[in-house]
Amino acid sequence: MKVTLEWLKKYIDFDYSADELAHHLTMLGLEVDSINQIDYQFDNVIIGQIESIEKHQHKPQLSICHVQVGSQRVSLVCGAPNVIPGMKVPVALTGAKLPHDITISAANIHGYKSQGMICSEAELGLSSQNDVIMELPENAPIGQDLKRYLGSGETVIEIDVTPNRPDCLGVFGIAREIAALIDSKIARPEIHLKESASLKIEDCIQVDIQNPESCPRYTARYIQGVKIGPSPRWLIQKLQAVGIRSINNVVDITNFVMMETGQPLHAFDYDLLQDQKIIVKHATEGEKFVTLDDKEHTLTSERLLICDGKKAIALAGVMGGVNSEISSESRNILLESALFNPTNIRRTSKALDLSTDSSKRFERGVDPEGMVYALNRAAELVCELAGGELAKGYIDSYPVQIPTRKIALSIDRTNHVLGTSLDKATIEKLLNRLEFITTAKDNDRFDVDVPTFRVDIEREIDLIEEISRLYGFDKIDSRIYSQLPLTLQQDPGEKFRQLVRDFIVRLGYNEITTLSLIAEAHAKKFTIYRPVKLKNPISEEMGTLRTSIVPGALQIIKWNKNRKIKSQNLFEVGNIFYFNSKQNDAHREVTKIALLKTGSVRSNNWIESSRETTFFDIKGDALSLLRQLNLNHFKMRAATVEFLDREQSVEILISENIVGYLGALSNKIQTEFDIEDTVYVAEFDLNALYQNYNWEKISQPVSKFPAVIRDIAVVVDQKLTTEKVEDVIWRAAGSYLQKLILFDVYRGKQIAADKKSFAFTLTFQSDQKTLTEQEVESNIQNILHALKTKLNAHLRA
Amino acid sequence: MTLDIKEISSQLEKLKQDFQDDISGNKGSNLAEKIRIKYLGRKGQLTSLFALLGKVPAADRPVLGKQLNVLKQLFQQEIDKLAELESEQPQCIDFFDRSLPGVTKETGTFHPLYQVLEEIKGIFVSLGFTIESGPELETDYYNFEALNIPKDHPSRDLQDTFYIDDDLVLRTHTSPVQIRTMEKLKPPIRMIAPGKCYRKDAIDATHFPLFHQVEGLCVDRGITFADLKGVVEAFAHRLFGKNIKIRFRPSFFPFTEPSAEYDFSCVKCAGKGCNICKGSGWLEISGAGMVDPAVFRYVNYDPEEFTGYAFGMGVERIAMLKYQVADIRDFYENDLRFLKQF
């Protein structure tokens, strides 16, 4: 809501500067967004008087005006029809500046040298009026700078009015707030109407409200013989200052009064109405209607229409119809000032995607007692600016009275909510300043009459807010903890999440957080379920909820790669979404942990050279994480997901449930995301890990006896997996084997082509005794025997 | 003929001295091997002394044997050490460049937003708040209805919402967790709900469709606006220091009444006015207020018996102030050069 300092001062006298006012309004809940002085966009334009006019020799539509500008007399070519001798006009001489960066220079116009130009309001950027020269008052001093003459522009204050304060969508409302601040009252302009003696409203129009629940009140006036034309400059400038474009005098007046009072008005061309009737009723299903903006709407029966005897003429409270629009030919007009149901207007505005100054006010609620004032105010201005004869009386159809509100307020309750100790007199005074009328009931309670313009005040708590707001939040002393802290029951899931993030950071990963909205095509590739799509996305690229953290994280990998960062370890913990077709298509939201690794595992340095990341690095990191979390009873098997490489991938199971997967991305995905270097990923379900996590940790004694370490190398069939060999070793070894580490895998000339060699380090230890040479040796023999018989493996020579 | 053990001992002393001179002297390459041959070789000086064992009195033999063995071990160790040095770093023997770079490891980092979030959580936990959570995909009821934001009400326009269908939305704030927590527990309640929220905002330096919010709620008998001010001040002082001033001004939220916006005095210019606070000296942080009685009715709390306050804050906003990040998009670009600064 824009308002000017000068406009406010018409109704309330105050001494605040614009900055002070902005501060006070903000502290009262009317947050001021900006303060702007309107600047004229022209320079060096002076006031001149036309002395004589002659016709251009070749172009009769042009005239040559001889203009006195004080120090000199100049001759200017002018094409406007309204120039007459004696007229005071704005003159832009050579060197003057006009809007749109125009600098005036002497010009040759059809053989005639013009030393400048006489300006219209449009040329000066003052209004849109461009067909006539701007006429200045007779007393305007010749030769004076126009800017100095007009005075400085108005100061526009833009206020962010919260949805609960429709009363502040009018200048009156904001003036009332200032009045409350300085303990004063606003002065609304008094209205003096000259009504016709013969022309009576009831002879001109009949109003029938068929749906009073949607239109509780309808008032109207009729004015005959108006002259539609441009608005005077003051009106144009007022509207322009608050962001409304001038249309014509009558429409401008309805907008001006709306801005002033907060009550939206509408003017119909009376001669386009049939049967001298206004009928307010709901549309018939499928009815079509063309609004002022030339858009055709198909309506449902919920939409409320203003109709004449035959047809719809306005979409009630939202926008008028093109079929009854005020035009330059309009002579007789009907002014409407009505009250519509806020919910109905809002639904219409939303359904038709049509939000107007009018609908914005109606959907928030307008003063049910304010519409007659607004109607009369508009009628007065029309008569003043557009002439015409005002019919005697006005229509006021008010089928359902809107009750005034009386609310009981307790002083105790007020102080109890605010933490204050305000006394009765203080509270009463605060409310009175806001135009609430108080009647004391007993020592603790008031009856409070709510002014009709405060449609937002319905309950005691609303009054308490009013009191606190005017009293000032800064005057309420803060209190720190009168109570002891509660016994904390912190959510263990939250703690687990932090634990996991801690471990991953220790593994050298950088945490990222990515947008959960991704392209549908990407979402589909990382799930077997139906992705969750947005009904109203910003764009297709952000149209679907992620089904995995990986696609979003791949965009980050790409971003960094494009910035020459080749090696990346990234992780994110966050939620993914899908519809579960197995459970009635219910939507699911699951927290995942994703690790992504690409590039080299360590950078080149002067001692060691770098090494590219492999499958076994992501596998190792995943294992480290699981072991840190004491989750040792997991299994791995070949993964079946399509986005991973068919060989370099596994899924991880705990108690037969898949809890995650890891591996290299498939070539297809790599190509699709346009990433050259292989990206290795691991993704776990946080909750599944949490379910298997044991918070209890019980210490194990460490052995006091020495460990014996032996290396063995065995040659096995090339296709045998490490897992199988290790399994045989563990089973054959007995309880002394504590650790088994594969430290070499060899294939080459020294062994047969279909064989490979595994070298293990075995650590034997007992927590009962020092192992003897013989005990260890017999263990080794058992192992070798088992390897030979079960896997046909033999000791490498 | 028997030999005097004392005489042999002094020979051993001499031998040890010679050995040490040899080994610490600088006599060209392959020194370790040369010294080994000289002392421990088949005809080496120490080896040959073992032959003397048979020529001392039987009683002295163990003593001498021990002395010889100790010396042999010492020689062997010294030679091994030298050999190792020779084989590994022949170039460093004479000059150790201590300025060669240390071999560093890349450590991981937490995202700056989550570092700030953890700090916020820590402060509230220490003030006696619990941490609660709720889904990001939320129903219309929890995100709006139960927070006193009815359908067809203009207050819905305060937030541009992403819809999945008529009933399912991406939550626009973490306030629904208030409702979920009140449904679950009876007062007293003191909780914060941190989490992701979504709004259909055009992306610019201060708007991103995804952001993180921390919602706070306290409900008990006798809770007042003064308590709200107290807790927000305590939080601000813990996060930004004792000199921060806090300003409450009236505002509107459907689920609080009275409603307030709270501002902190500018963390950069201390209220004098600068580019961060746009000259005003104040930074808008977020909204707060006393829980609206209408909200209590949705969760079957008696508004006559209980009062409460609620407040919110944007984690991005606070992180931007704390780290002087000018553009919210920096947090979501996840440029490693940015992330590794934290």
Side-chain angles (χ1 to χ4, degrees):
Chain A
M1 167 79 188
K2 283 181 178 169
V3 62
T4 71
L5 198 62
E6 293 74 14
W7 200 341
L8 284 167
K9 285 191 170 171
K10 281 179 180 286
Y11 318 124
I12 178 80
D13 194 19
F14 59 93
D15 295 329
Y16 297 134
S17 69
D19 284 332
E20 283 165 352
L21 183 66
H23 170 77
H24 287 297
L25 288 177
T26 298
M27 293 310 282
L28 203 56
L30 294 172
E31 189 181 353
V32 172
D33 274 347
S34 64
I35 305 170
N36 283 306
Q37 184 91 31
I38 292 187
D39 260 341
Y40 298 116
Q41 298 161 51
F42 57 83
D43 243 323
N44 292 328
V45 175
I46 55 174
I47 297 167
Q49 184 169 35
I50 300 172
E51 293 189 327
S52 59
I53 300 173
E54 52 181 293
K55 285 270 164 253
H56 192 284
Q57 288 170 329
H58 311 298
K59 297 272 173 186
Q61 69 272 34
L62 294 179
S63 33
I64 294 144
C65 301
H66 303 288
V67 183
Q68 180 57 248
V69 293
S71 53
Q72 52 174 321
R73 192 162 169 271
V74 292
S75 298
L76 308 166
V77 176
C78 177
N82 69 327
V83 284
I84 46 164
M87 186 173 165
K88 300 265 179 82
V89 292
V91 178
L93 294 181
T94 306
K97 287 197 164 56
L98 297 185
H100 312 297
D101 284 329
I102 295 165
T103 303
I104 300 298
S105 52
N108 195 311
I109 298 167
H110 299 286
Y112 202 93
K113 199 163 176 259
S114 185
Q115 295 161 280
M117 64 187 275
I118 306 176
C119 308
S120 69
E121 291 188 0
E123 281 158 343
L124 293 169
L126 292 173
S127 78
S128 55
Q129 194 151 44
N130 60 5
D131 51 349
V132 291
I133 292 303
M134 178 178 180
E135 186 172 359
L136 293 168
E138 282 169 34
N139 59 3
I142 295 168
Q144 195 180 64
D145 186 273
L146 183 66
K147 240 162 131 171
R148 233 184 100 199
Y149 173 72
L150 292 174
S152 58
E154 299 196 23
T155 306
V156 180
I157 300 173
E158 186 161 14
I159 299 170
D160 194 1
V161 177
T162 52
N164 59 326
R165 293 302 301 275
D167 58 309
C168 288
L169 294 176
V171 184
F172 283 170
I174 295 160
R176 279 194 190 101
E177 292 283 300
I178 300 170
L181 268 175
I182 60 174
D183 196 6
S184 176
K185 287 265 175 297
I186 69 159
R188 294 198 301 186
E190 276 178 41
I191 298 167
H192 306 283
L193 293 174
K194 279 186 256 140
E195 291 182 322
S196 166
S198 54
L199 186 65
K200 294 197 176 90
I201 184 79
E202 50 272 24
D203 298 335
C204 307
I205 197 83
Q206 304 279 308
V207 172
D208 175 17
I209 302 177
Q210 294 190 354
N211 297 89
E213 71 286 359
S214 301
C215 174
R217 190 172 190 181
Y218 195 98
T219 71
R221 271 192 181 273
Y222 173 65
I223 306 165
Q224 202 169 56
V226 299
K227 189 170 179 297
I228 304 296
S231 292
R233 198 166 54 80
W234 70 264
L235 181 53
I236 294 168
Q237 274 185 288
K238 274 272 178 291
L239 291 177
Q240 212 171 38
V242 299
I244 296 176
R245 195 170 53 91
S246 171
I247 312 266
N248 59 48
N249 48 8
V250 168
V251 173
D252 287 359
I253 287 166
T254 60
N255 283 330
F256 174 80
V257 175
M258 173 185 72
M259 289 310 293
E260 187 178 54
T261 63
Q263 167 70 46
L265 301 168
H266 189 68
F268 296 101
D269 184 331
Y270 178 82
D271 299 324
L272 298 176
L273 307 188
Q274 283 160 289
D275 302 347
Q276 302 190 329
K277 261 188 197 157
I278 290 288
I279 300 163
V280 187
K281 63 176 186 190
H282 282 189
T284 50
E285 196 71 31
E287 187 172 347
K288 296 215 185 331
F289 184 69
V290 181
T291 41
L292 277 176
D293 54 0
D294 274 329
K295 290 209 174 88
E296 189 184 73
H297 303 277
T298 304
L299 308 177
T300 65
S301 61
E302 204 191 2
R303 309 283 87 86
L304 187 70
L305 292 171
I306 310 297
C307 307
D308 61 16
K310 296 273 190 311
K311 61 181 186 297
I313 52 172
L315 196 54
V318 182
M319 196 180 266
V322 79
N323 60 6
S324 57
E325 187 182 4
I326 300 290
S327 69
S328 54
E329 274 80 52
S330 302
R331 287 292 167 264
N332 306 316
I333 62 163
L334 186 77
L335 282 175
E336 164 202 286
S337 176
L339 178 64
F340 300 110
N341 177 296
T343 306
N344 183 286
I345 299 299
R346 175 160 174 89
R347 286 196 181 145
T348 299
S349 164
K350 282 278 146 184
L352 305 182
D353 192 18
L354 192 62
S355 176
T356 60
D357 284 326
S358 169
S359 70
K360 214 171 95 184
R361 285 168 175 81
F362 281 123
E363 67 181 30
R364 285 162 173 75
V366 302
D367 180 359
E369 299 304 322
M371 51 213 54
V372 174
Y373 178 89
L375 179 71
N376 290 340
R377 176 83 168 129
E380 181 190 35
L381 287 170
V382 170
C383 292
E384 189 183 315
L385 302 178
E389 187 183 4
L390 174 65
K392 187 174 171 56
Y394 60 92
I395 300 286
D396 186 358
S397 183
Y398 197 0
V400 187
Q401 279 285 321
I402 294 188
T404 53
R405 268 156 290 140
K406 194 186 275 298
I407 301 168
L409 174 75
S410 152
I411 293 162
D412 264 4
R413 178 75 185 167
T414 304
N415 286 318
H416 182 78
V417 170
L418 299 178
T420 47
S421 44
L422 302 176
D423 59 28
K424 202 174 168 183
T426 310
I427 289 176
E428 188 163 26
K429 181 73 192 157
L430 289 166
L431 287 172
N432 293 158
R433 279 162 61 184
L434 288 161
E435 296 190 38
F436 290 88
I437 297 162
T438 47
T439 318
K441 277 181 80 180
D442 55 39
N443 278 340
D444 181 49
R445 280 182 303 161
F446 289 117
D447 270 342
V448 180
D449 288 304
V450 180
T452 56
F453 55 83
R454 289 303 302 272
V455 294
D456 58 317
I457 307 293
E458 292 176 319
R459 306 165 299 168
E460 184 183 37
I461 193 73
D462 301 328
L463 290 174
I464 295 174
E465 178 172 68
E466 288 302 297
I467 293 163
S468 64
R469 173 170 93 80
L470 190 57
Y471 177 65
F473 287 168
D474 51 333
K475 292 205 196 95
I476 300 174
D477 288 329
S478 52
R479 178 170 75 163
I480 185 70
Y481 275 23
S482 50
Q483 305 113 313
L484 289 170
L486 305 172
T487 313
L488 291 184
Q489 275 270 305
Q490 294 296 0
D491 177 13
E494 171 73 28
K495 212 170 134 192
F496 182 73
R497 186 191 181 110
Q498 285 181 44
L499 199 68
V500 168
R501 289 173 56 239
D502 267 345
F503 286 151
I504 300 174
V505 165
R506 284 187 221 167
L507 290 170
Y509 284 77
N510 299 106
E511 186 174 36
I512 58 171
T513 181
T514 60
L515 186 57
S516 330
L517 305 172
I518 61 174
E520 188 184 11
H522 289 166
K524 279 184 168 164
K525 295 222 162 61
F526 289 84
T527 187
I528 53 165
Y529 297 109
R530 181 163 67 91
V532 179
K533 276 179 77 172
L534 297 183
K535 218 166 89 175
N536 57 336
I538 292 177
S539 68
E540 279 303 307
E541 282 69 47
M542 298 187 275
T544 305
L545 291 180
R546 62 181 177 188
T547 51
S548 157
I549 294 173
V550 175
L554 287 176
Q555 305 283 11
I556 305 301
I557 286 193
K558 201 173 155 191
W559 170 279
N560 282 304
K561 288 229 187 256
N562 288 344
R563 281 151 190 83
K564 300 279 179 282
I565 303 169
K566 197 171 166 295
S567 301
Q568 304 176 43
N569 296 323
L570 307 179
F571 86 99
E572 179 171 353
V573 180
N575 294 359
I576 62 119
F577 310 82
Y578 57 87
F579 286 110
N580 192 338
S581 49
K582 289 169 193 161
Q583 290 172 10
N584 291 333
D585 230 17
H587 69 273
R588 307 283 300 149
E589 182 172 343
V590 181
T591 308
K592 296 275 185 181
I593 312 159
L595 286 75
L596 293 94
K597 213 174 172 69
T598 184
S600 51
V601 279
R602 58 166 187 258
S603 52
N604 247 336
N605 64 53
W606 62 276
I607 293 180
E608 303 159 291
S609 51
S610 69
R611 174 171 72 71
E612 287 300 297
T613 301
T614 66
F615 168 80
F616 300 101
D617 292 302
I618 193 77
K619 184 177 176 184
D621 287 343
L623 293 181
S624 302
L625 173 65
L626 292 172
R627 289 197 183 127
Q628 285 264 35
L629 293 171
N630 259 328
L631 299 169
N632 292 313
H633 47 290
F634 59 84
K635 279 187 215 152
M636 290 189 178
R637 68 178 184 209
T640 52
V641 288
E642 272 184 30
F643 54 89
L644 293 181
D645 183 89
R646 281 178 61 187
E647 284 188 329
Q648 298 189 35
S649 60
V650 293
E651 52 195 26
I652 300 146
L653 300 96
I654 298 179
S655 322
E656 304 306 315
N657 293 317
I658 299 172
V659 298
Y661 62 81
L662 63 87
L665 286 180
S666 72
N667 285 335
K668 210 174 146 213
I669 294 284
Q670 296 263 158
T671 314
E672 239 175 73
F673 282 80
D674 191 22
I675 300 173
E676 219 170 283
D677 300 338
T678 309
V679 179
Y680 298 90
V681 301
E683 198 170 34
F684 293 100
D685 185 319
L686 182 77
N687 198 43
L689 298 187
Y690 174 57
Q691 296 302 326
N692 290 286
Y693 182 71
N694 189 356
W695 288 104
E696 261 177 54
K697 282 186 180 154
I698 296 161
S699 74
Q700 298 293 320
V702 290
S703 174
K704 295 180 181 65
F705 302 95
V708 178
I709 294 168
R710 289 292 165 84
D711 290 349
I712 58 168
V714 288
V715 175
V716 298
D717 193 79
Q718 203 255 111
K719 285 198 173 139
L720 204 57
T721 66
T722 318
E723 201 177 16
K724 278 201 182 120
V725 178
E726 287 186 342
D727 191 52
V728 168
I729 295 176
W730 279 111
R731 281 170 199 277
S735 63
Y736 297 147
L737 182 64
Q738 299 293 316
K739 218 159 52 173
L740 176 66
I741 290 171
L742 178 74
F743 69 91
D744 189 38
V745 180
Y746 175 79
R747 286 190 65 197
K749 279 182 266 174
Q750 295 176 28
I751 52 176
D754 58 347
K755 301 279 180 186
K756 62 185 170 187
S757 149
F758 284 138
F760 293 100
T761 295
L762 297 85
T763 305
F764 295 93
Q765 195 171 28
S766 159
D767 50 9
Q768 307 286 331
K769 59 179 180 180
T770 302
L771 295 178
T772 64
E773 206 44 41
Q774 287 84 345
E775 280 168 321
V776 173
E777 190 52 37
S778 107
N779 251 303
I780 297 273
Q781 287 312 318
N782 289 344
I783 291 167
L784 292 175
H785 180 75
L787 285 171
K788 184 161 193 168
T789 52
K790 293 194 172 141
L791 302 175
N792 193 26
H794 57 273
L795 199 60
R796 192 172 158 198
Chain B
M1 182 194 134
T2 58
L3 288 173
D4 186 356
I5 184 153
K6 281 180 187 152
E7 201 181 314
I8 297 173
S9 288
S10 71
Q11 269 189 45
L12 289 178
E13 258 333 288
K14 169 106 188 0
L15 192 63
K16 192 176 166 189
Q17 193 57 52
D18 290 350
F19 175 81
Q20 253 141 17
D21 288 348
D22 282 348
I23 206 145
S24 56
N26 186 6
K27 292 178 194 131
S29 63
N30 226 0
L31 186 65
E33 185 55 15
K34 283 176 190 158
I35 292 173
R36 195 190 65 76
I37 292 164
K38 182 175 173 188
Y39 294 95
L40 301 179
R42 265 197 300 137
K43 291 175 184 168
Q45 294 183 13
L46 182 64
T47 315
S48 56
L49 285 180
F50 277 85
L52 298 179
L53 266 178
K55 295 179 182 172
V56 295
D60 290 337
R61 269 175 214 163
V63 180
L64 182 61
K66 197 177 175 195
Q67 281 180 341
L68 286 168
N69 272 320
V70 165
L71 207 56
K72 186 181 172 187
Q73 231 169 33
L74 177 79
F75 284 16
Q76 190 63 56
Q77 275 172 14
E78 293 287 313
I79 290 165
D80 285 350
K81 240 191 265 174
L82 181 62
E84 203 175 318
L85 266 177
E86 279 178 350
S87 69
E88 278 193 348
Q89 292 180 304
Q91 74 275 34
C92 285
I93 281 179
D94 24 319
F95 178 63
F96 181 79
D97 180 359
R98 68 181 79 202
S99 76
L100 279 166
V103 180
T104 56
K105 289 192 174 60
E106 286 274 338
T107 52
T109 51
F110 288 107
H111 195 279
L113 281 180
Y114 295 131
Q115 291 188 36
V116 169
L117 183 56
E118 290 304 318
E119 193 176 347
I120 294 170
K121 277 155 68 178
I123 292 172
F124 282 109
V125 165
S126 78
L127 288 171
F129 285 72
T130 60
I131 296 167
E132 303 290 338
S133 59
E136 293 167 31
L137 252 186
E138 193 47 285
T139 60
D140 188 271
Y141 177 79
Y142 285 106
N143 196 70
F144 293 123
E145 203 82 33
L147 288 162
N148 199 28
I149 312 173
K151 272 209 166 76
D152 306 315
H153 196 271
S155 50
R156 286 225 173 174
D157 291 346
L158 291 172
Q159 303 152 1
D160 262 325
T161 310
F162 284 119
Y163 286 89
I164 309 304
D165 53 42
D166 288 342
D167 188 47
L168 207 55
V169 303
L170 280 175
R171 67 175 173 193
T172 54
H173 41 199
T174 54
S175 313
V177 184
Q178 276 190 27
I179 305 297
R180 291 180 174 274
T181 306
M182 286 193 281
E183 282 181 348
K184 199 171 65 181
L185 306 170
K186 288 289 148 207
I189 285 174
R190 201 180 290 151
M191 57 144 256
I192 58 163
K196 285 185 174 137
C197 308
Y198 302 82
R199 284 187 199 173
K200 198 184 164 184
D201 285 328
I203 298 175
D204 63 25
T206 53
H207 295 90
F208 200 71
L210 166 67
F211 63 99
H212 294 74
Q213 198 185 42
V214 176
E215 173 90 0
L217 173 75
C218 171
V219 182
D220 202 350
R221 292 182 184 85
I223 298 291
T224 71
F225 196 88
D227 295 306
L228 166 65
K229 284 186 73 176
V231 84
V232 171
E233 280 170 13
F235 166 74
H237 289 153
R238 287 273 293 274
L239 191 70
F240 285 116
K242 271 278 172 203
N243 294 328
I244 289 292
K245 291 188 191 65
I246 296 91
R247 174 174 94 165
F248 282 77
R249 54 190 164 79
S251 186
F252 169 74
F253 302 104
F255 41 101
T256 51
E257 182 120 12
S259 295
E261 294 259 5
Y262 63 95
D263 306 336
F264 292 171
S265 58
C266 183
V267 293
K268 196 183 178 198
C269 66
K272 288 182 206 77
C274 66
N275 61 329
I276 287 193
C277 58
K278 294 182 193 102
S280 72
W282 293 99
L283 301 165
E284 282 185 33
I285 301 299
S286 192
M290 299 302 290
V291 179
D292 195 296
V295 173
F296 281 153
R297 285 202 188 87
Y298 278 101
V299 295
N300 292 319
Y301 283 11
D302 179 2
E304 293 300 316
E305 185 181 359
F306 296 108
T307 49
Y309 61 75
F311 58 86
M313 66 187 71
V315 180
E316 279 79 357
R317 171 85 171 135
I318 291 175
M320 285 169 86
L321 294 173
K322 218 174 152 53
Y323 300 130
Q324 300 199 6
V325 173
D327 195 321
I328 195 170
R329 288 168 287 201
D330 289 352
F331 294 122
Y332 292 98
E333 269 169 4
N334 295 292
D335 191 311
L336 277 164
R337 295 165 299 177
F338 176 75
L339 296 181
K340 285 180 178 177
Q341 296 171 28
F342 299 94

